[in-house]
Amino acid sequence: MDFMNDLKAVMRRELRLMRQRPVYLLASVGVMAFCLLFFLTFLREGMPSELPVGVVDMDNSSLSRNFIRQIDATPQCRTVGFDSYTSARKALQTGEINALFVIPDGMYADVLSGRQPVLAIYANSLYFVGGALAYKDLMAMANLSSGAVQRELLRAKGMSDREIMGMIQPIVTDFHQIGNVTTDYGVYLTNVLIPGILEMITILVTVYALGSELKYGTSRHLLGKAGGSMTVAMTGKLIPYTILFTTLGIVCDFILYGWAGFPMAGSIFNMFLGTFLLVLSCEAVAFFIIGLLPVPRLALSISALYSVLAFSMAGFTFPAEALPPYIRGLAAVFPLRHYYLMYVQEAIFASGFEGWYMQAIYMLLFLFLPVFVHRRLERAYVLQNFPRK
């Protein structure tokens, strides 16, 4: 009975602190609301469109003009004509255009005579997404035009369309994009960026909440409310934050997979479970960091570095399996990595809990981290012998 009374006293104390210090709600609810609004509006089109592509037409024939119209008809490219290669090159170097397509002089005559004209494509890879998409469209149009020219030449020789297609395209590829059929960058990025931001907020706010007891010298008062028990103090202090962060994560899941209509092949309730495990594992990591370094300034710095690295090690932009072996294993120390693998199995492949139960076990293993620093943080709370700034 004393345990429950002490636990309630600590929780009431923490709720009062959350009301008195707006930074808690601002750093959690405010940041998550801003990030959701930013990413869902910034990436609302799914993919970039109307990318400016420079064209230098030195041939000025009916074939080259038709080719330019075909490029301009693609949804991702918008052609910009240039009179000379020099001016087009300057525009490419200054970032005014994402790619440059040069049609050589005499291309139509070379096609009619059976010679092989060379079309030059320059892509600005400094802007990776824009340059890559423009290059992809230009290459596709160049290949289609090459096939069209071969078809007309073979037709002139009296071959049937079936024979022609067998020569032009002997192997037909049936391509399927799983989980993101429209190649929507919002689906590709937001599904992991939002949980990653939730992970960052959870770790930073939890470290600040635990470290503020040392910074303001109120740790002994906390232990007094908990009846001298560090376990009761930490449990009562973290329960309100667990509820807050889990609620934020569930609301984000509702918005992403309900209102925004992101692909969800599996059960959204399993995603809720994964979000809850992510919050618990992040709080355990935060406890470990502040327990290992009971200095708020240093602990927050380490937490920020750790949280940012999670985005790189999660594997959603660059596969963790392709990392060097001595770095690949480090991905396992980030809860976001296991959440991402859970998301793929549940939302993309609908494998159910049996498909990602190992990821749940890995996230639960993080809960053992506080055991190693529990005694050290308790001593810091009692003695208050660490720097407060």
Side-chain angles (χ1 to χ4, degrees):
M1 196 64 182
D2 291 339
F3 172 81
M4 292 303 300
N5 291 333
D6 293 339
L7 185 65
K8 292 177 181 178
V10 174
M11 291 176 61
R12 286 194 296 267
R13 176 183 181 273
E14 195 60 33
L15 290 173
R16 186 175 66 254
L17 288 176
M18 292 174 69
R19 290 195 303 268
Q20 294 174 352
R21 299 172 184 172
V23 66
Y24 291 115
L25 293 179
L26 181 63
S28 54
V29 179
V31 171
M32 286 304 300
F34 171 79
C35 291
L36 274 172
L37 181 64
F38 175 80
F39 286 112
L40 291 177
T41 54
F42 181 71
L43 300 171
R44 66 183 182 275
E45 299 296 334
M47 286 190 69
S49 59
E50 296 294 318
L51 296 171
V53 173
V55 176
V56 179
D57 186 4
M58 299 179 179
D59 190 46
N60 198 25
S61 62
S62 60
L63 179 63
S64 65
R65 290 192 294 272
N66 179 65
F67 188 67
I68 294 173
R69 287 194 296 270
Q70 295 295 329
I71 296 176
D72 208 20
T74 60
Q76 293 178 353
C77 292
R78 172 176 56 85
T79 57
V80 179
F82 290 91
D83 296 330
S84 65
Y85 171 78
T86 302
S87 59
R89 178 177 58 83
K90 290 181 180 179
L92 182 66
Q93 291 174 337
T94 56
E96 297 178 20
I97 56 177
N98 294 97
L100 173 61
F101 199 87
V102 180
I103 301 175
D105 185 19
M107 181 190 72
Y108 190 41
D110 290 341
V111 169
L112 293 178
S113 60
R115 293 189 294 268
Q116 199 175 43
V118 178
L119 303 178
I121 299 176
Y122 302 86
N124 189 350
S125 296
L126 180 63
Y127 305 102
F128 180 76
V129 174
L133 292 177
Y135 174 78
K136 176 185 175 181
D137 270 16
L138 290 177
M139 285 298 299
M141 292 306 303
N143 292 330
L144 289 175
S145 299
S146 175
V149 170
Q150 293 181 47
R151 183 185 61 185
E152 295 303 319
L153 291 175
L154 293 175
R155 277 178 178 174
K157 295 180 180 180
M159 296 181 64
S160 65
D161 285 349
R162 183 172 182 177
E163 293 173 325
I164 292 172
M165 292 308 298
M167 295 182 63
I168 295 177
Q169 193 177 21
I171 299 176
V172 178
T173 303
D174 188 13
F175 182 67
H176 299 271
Q177 295 189 152
I178 300 174
N180 191 3
V181 179
T182 59
T183 319
D184 191 324
Y185 273 80
V187 174
Y188 162 60
L189 293 173
T190 309
N191 274 306
V192 184
L193 284 178
I194 293 300
I197 293 170
L198 177 64
E199 179 198 46
M200 179 183 295
I201 291 172
T202 303
I203 293 176
L204 289 174
V205 172
T206 304
V207 167
Y208 178 80
L210 298 179
S212 63
E213 303 290 350
L214 296 171
K215 179 179 180 180
Y216 297 111
T218 57
S219 56
R220 294 174 184 170
H221 179 264
L222 171 63
L223 291 175
K225 286 286 186 179
S229 172
M230 184 66 173
T231 302
V232 174
M234 293 296 98
T235 304
K237 191 173 181 66
L238 292 179
I239 284 178
Y241 296 102
T242 304
I243 296 174
L244 173 63
F245 298 136
T246 303
T247 302
L248 284 175
I250 291 176
V251 169
C252 290
D253 289 338
F254 268 122
I255 292 175
L256 294 179
Y257 306 115
W259 180 75
F262 284 7
M264 171 52 64
S267 170
I268 194 171
F269 295 102
N270 283 342
M271 294 300 297
F272 295 163
L273 176 60
T275 300
F276 176 64
L277 294 176
L278 175 67
V279 170
L280 289 181
S281 58
C282 291
E283 288 181 336
V285 170
F287 192 110
F288 180 78
I289 293 175
I290 189 63
L292 193 64
L293 293 169
V295 182
R297 183 186 71 254
L298 293 178
L300 285 172
S301 300
I302 296 298
S303 300
L305 177 61
Y306 175 88
S307 302
V308 170
L309 284 176
F311 289 96
S312 301
M313 304 299 290
F316 73 103
T317 54
F318 188 86
E321 294 77 11
L323 293 171
Y326 51 88
I327 297 179
R328 192 182 310 154
L330 293 177
V333 304
F334 297 93
L336 186 61
R337 168 62 177 169
H338 305 294
Y339 178 88
Y340 169 68
L341 295 177
M342 180 278 298
Y343 155 75
V344 171
Q345 292 298 322
E346 186 62 43
I348 305 301
F349 297 113
S351 58
F353 183 74
E354 61 273 13
W356 56 272
Y357 72 94
M358 286 303 300
Q359 309 309 320
I361 293 175
Y362 294 147
M363 284 192 278
L364 288 174
L365 288 177
F366 283 95
L367 301 184
F368 290 97
L369 287 176
V371 176
F372 299 100
V373 296
H374 183 276
R375 180 58 181 168
R376 177 177 172 84
L377 184 59
E378 182 179 9
R379 286 175 56 85
Y381 271 29
V382 173
L383 301 177
Q384 297 183 351
N385 56 348
F386 285 89
R388 298 183 181 182
K389 296 182 180 181

